[in-house]
Amino acid sequence: MPENTFDLVVIGAGPGGYVCAIRASQLGLKTAIIDKRAELGGTCLNVGCIPSKALLHSSELYYDIAHHAADHGILIEGSRFDVATMMKNKDAVVAKLNSGVKHLITKRNITLFQGTATLKNSSTVAVLNTEGKEQIFIAKKIVIATGSVPSAIPSLPFDGVSIVSSDQAIAFTEIPKRLVVVGGGAIGLELGSVWGRLGSQVTVVEFLPQIAPSCDADIAKLLARALKKQGVTCETGTGVTGYKKTSDGLEVYAKQGDKELTFKADKILVAVGRRPFTESLGLENVGIKTDDKGRIPVDHHYKTSADNIYAIGDVIQGVMLAHKAEDEGVAVAEILAGKAGHVNYNAIPGVIYTQPEVATVGIGEDSAKKQGFAVNIGKFALSANGRAIASDATDGIAKVIACAKTDRILGVQIMASNASEIIGAAVTHMEYCGSSEDLARTVTAHPTLSEALKEAALAVEKRAIHAL
Ligand code: NAI
């Protein structure tokens, strides 16, 4: 095969793209991967999931030292916070993983190229490198995995300094005294918590009647209460109408029903969702038309309307989550290698990494009822869990939503410290079409927070052991 000809060219080296390239190479496909960033890992590794987790960890440590250490006999006087060191730690975490991903790619003989890719036709990709030089790649198959970028709102246009997206909010050089976050989804709540725990006065302005719209209303309410204790106030049912720069910083104007509200801020983080990124891809050259949300339509095998061209991750329909993109990357590589790649969209966990975390899988009680399911609900409060009491982690609840007719688990929602790990058991049960009975009869180590999930499953049939 000529040097510039490949079985597969992957455009975009985020979790979708690089995982796809690795799986394709494992299956014997000659593979190239192209990304415009110098570093691999896409949004998730460079400006998303990973750096935000490093900041969440730093701010949790600080918050625990400031608020809880003394209860355990740890007396620290004069502790203070240094933002520059926190950022240095975050950058080191990202750099370590950048080089880890690069190692995984190069060790597998995947050709890596930095530049902006444009589709010329259904088997030719032109790549413009940073010096303006164009290189042509010929591909039997092409996978588009170009991800997404933050959505803007007209009343608060990004300026990168005062009105920022998550890209800048993970890199503030000082703690904003007052931070207004527009959007109470995962990004707004996670970054709001980071800066709130460090002392910022944070107001989350959410358009819908509840924050965390992927959760049931009862869980969202509990989460709002927990966040309030950490300096994050949530104003729900509130729409932002505009802003003004004043001598005292910024003023954000909003409407809450008939009430006109003004929030003072030093920074405004707009986190109202993300949109697929398809600019300069040359979709028009191959006849691909995006849908009303800017997504690339694909069939069940991730094939676009163009011959040989496939798409995965944030640029197609479905939740914009790194692990969804990763599993689609594996599935499409397997399909292209003649195997049966598959993703179970009913069992994709979602996590908001606040403290406590909120993790969900499947459908919640609210949407199950809206969809007409007769459901049985089991709930168990973390305040009755021994491990939670021993670890200052009593804020939260586990909730199992089971089909009333078949007992099959339709969904699970957990608000708890480490909910991101606890949810794994629920995902596995759902993957195998498990029932609440299966979950309730699964032996769970004692004492663990996971016992709250087992108790919630028992509560579906009103037989939780540690609840009245
Ligand atoms: P999101 O879609 O999760 O939440 C955006 C929120 O903004 C919604 O609650 C929406 O009602 C609200 N909103 C929209 N327009 C508004 C307006 N004009 N005024 C007030 N509120 C408004 O989006 P987010 O948090 O920006 O995240 C983007 C994507 O990245 C999501 O798909 C999310 O799942 C993903 N992500 C996932 C993370 C995780 O898994 N932990 C972390 C960060 C992002």
Side-chain angles (χ1 to χ4, degrees):
M1 212 183 268
E3 208 185 317
N4 72 335
T5 302
F6 295 88
D7 293 315
L8 174 64
V9 168
V10 181
I11 305 174
Y18 87 72
V19 167
C20 173
I22 290 174
R23 185 69 187 119
S25 135
Q26 285 174 341
L27 292 166
L29 303 184
K30 185 185 171 196
T31 303
I33 187 161
I34 301 158
D35 200 292
K36 61 185 167 54
R37 273 195 177 92
E39 302 296 347
L40 304 180
T43 297
C44 167
L45 204 169
N46 292 290
V47 288
C49 322
I50 297 295
S52 62
K53 295 313 102 45
L55 299 182
L56 283 158
H57 180 55
S58 300
S59 63
E60 277 168 30
L61 268 176
Y62 177 70
Y63 188 84
D64 281 346
I65 286 168
H67 297 269
H68 302 303
D71 301 341
H72 297 270
I74 306 163
L75 305 174
I76 302 167
E77 267 156 41
S79 71
R80 57 190 186 85
F81 198 83
D82 180 45
V83 176
T85 308
M86 172 174 76
M87 291 300 168
K88 219 166 113 192
N89 174 66
K90 175 205 73 175
D91 293 342
V93 167
V94 171
K96 188 174 166 82
L97 285 163
N98 283 142
S99 69
V101 175
K102 191 165 190 178
H103 187 69
L104 292 174
I105 292 287
T106 47
K107 276 280 162 189
R108 286 186 168 87
N109 294 323
I110 296 164
T111 300
L112 173 61
F113 203 84
Q114 189 193 350
T116 303
T118 303
L119 300 161
K120 290 291 176 192
N121 58 46
S122 62
S123 57
T124 310
V125 182
V127 184
L128 196 63
N129 73 13
T130 42
E131 281 125 41
K133 214 175 127 219
E134 190 176 84
Q135 185 152 341
I136 297 294
F137 287 72
I138 307 297
K140 288 188 190 158
K141 304 285 179 197
I142 296 165
V143 169
I144 300 170
T146 45
S148 61
V149 288
S151 297
I153 46 175
S155 56
L156 291 171
F158 292 124
D159 64 14
V161 180
S162 302
I163 306 178
V164 301
S165 73
S166 49
D167 292 1
Q168 290 88 35
I170 56 158
F172 287 157
T173 51
E174 55 188 52
I175 302 164
K177 233 173 100 206
R178 301 157 304 179
L179 173 68
V180 167
V181 177
V182 182
I187 294 181
L189 298 177
E190 289 180 14
L191 291 178
S193 325
V194 165
W195 296 108
R197 284 198 283 258
L198 300 181
S200 200
Q201 182 192 318
V202 179
T203 309
V204 175
V205 181
E206 166 58 51
F207 188 71
L208 295 175
Q210 67 169 71
I211 57 163
S214 54
C215 301
D216 283 337
D218 55 352
I219 299 221
K221 214 165 142 187
L222 285 176
L223 179 62
R225 211 163 67 190
L227 291 174
K228 177 105 189 166
K229 289 186 214 156
Q230 296 163 42
V232 177
T233 305
C234 299
E235 296 285 354
T236 51
T238 307
V240 169
T241 50
Y243 82 105
K244 206 163 82 182
K245 281 191 177 154
T246 69
S247 54
D248 180 35
L250 300 154
E251 282 187 350
V252 181
Y253 306 115
K255 267 195 117 176
Q256 192 176 57
D258 295 336
K259 267 197 294 182
E260 308 266 356
L261 301 177
T262 302
F263 304 107
K264 290 187 183 294
D266 300 296
K267 298 269 186 199
I268 303 168
L269 164 62
V270 176
V272 295
R274 298 178 60 87
R275 63 179 172 82
F277 182 75
T278 55
E279 275 137 49
S280 56
L281 252 184
L283 295 181
E284 62 288 353
N285 298 338
V286 290
I288 296 176
K289 286 198 172 63
T290 54
D291 69 11
D292 57 338
K293 294 195 168 105
R295 301 174 298 197
I296 297 175
V298 291
D299 66 14
H300 290 307
H301 288 153
Y302 308 101
K303 193 178 165 300
T304 68
S305 59
D307 283 345
N308 306 327
I309 304 183
Y310 295 72
I312 57 166
D314 286 6
V315 279
I316 67 167
Q317 73 265 18
V319 286
M320 288 186 174
L321 295 173
H323 43 281
K324 177 249 192 195
E326 283 182 41
D327 277 48
E328 287 178 346
V330 169
V332 76
E334 291 178 347
I335 289 165
L336 295 178
K339 296 183 173 293
H342 175 70
V343 177
N344 178 3
Y345 289 98
N346 294 322
I348 296 185
V351 180
I352 303 178
Y353 293 86
T354 42
Q355 188 53 269
E357 296 175 346
V358 176
T360 60
V361 59
I363 52 173
E365 178 182 4
D366 300 346
S367 52
K369 285 179 177 162
K370 264 187 219 143
Q371 288 175 42
F373 280 106
V375 290
N376 288 331
I377 306 292
K379 289 188 194 183
F380 190 81
L382 267 291
S383 55
N385 172 280
R387 181 72 190 277
I389 292 168
S391 348
D392 298 335
T394 51
D395 234 358
I397 189 170
K399 185 170 172 183
V400 173
I401 297 106
C403 174
K405 249 195 236 158
T406 63
D407 192 37
R408 184 173 169 165
I409 301 169
L410 299 174
V412 169
Q413 305 212 341
I414 305 166
M415 174 177 140
S417 187
N418 281 327
S420 55
E421 306 290 346
I422 303 169
I423 197 79
V427 178
T428 306
H429 276 281
M430 287 188 66
E431 188 62 44
Y432 295 121
C433 302
S435 61
S436 81
E437 174 87 20
D438 293 325
L439 190 49
R441 289 192 183 276
T442 300
V443 179
T444 305
H446 175 76
T448 56
L449 301 181
S450 296
E451 286 172 292
L453 174 61
K454 177 190 170 94
E455 291 269 19
L458 283 164
V460 168
E461 292 192 358
K462 301 187 176 36
R463 55 195 168 108
I465 301 295
H466 294 90
L468 296 174

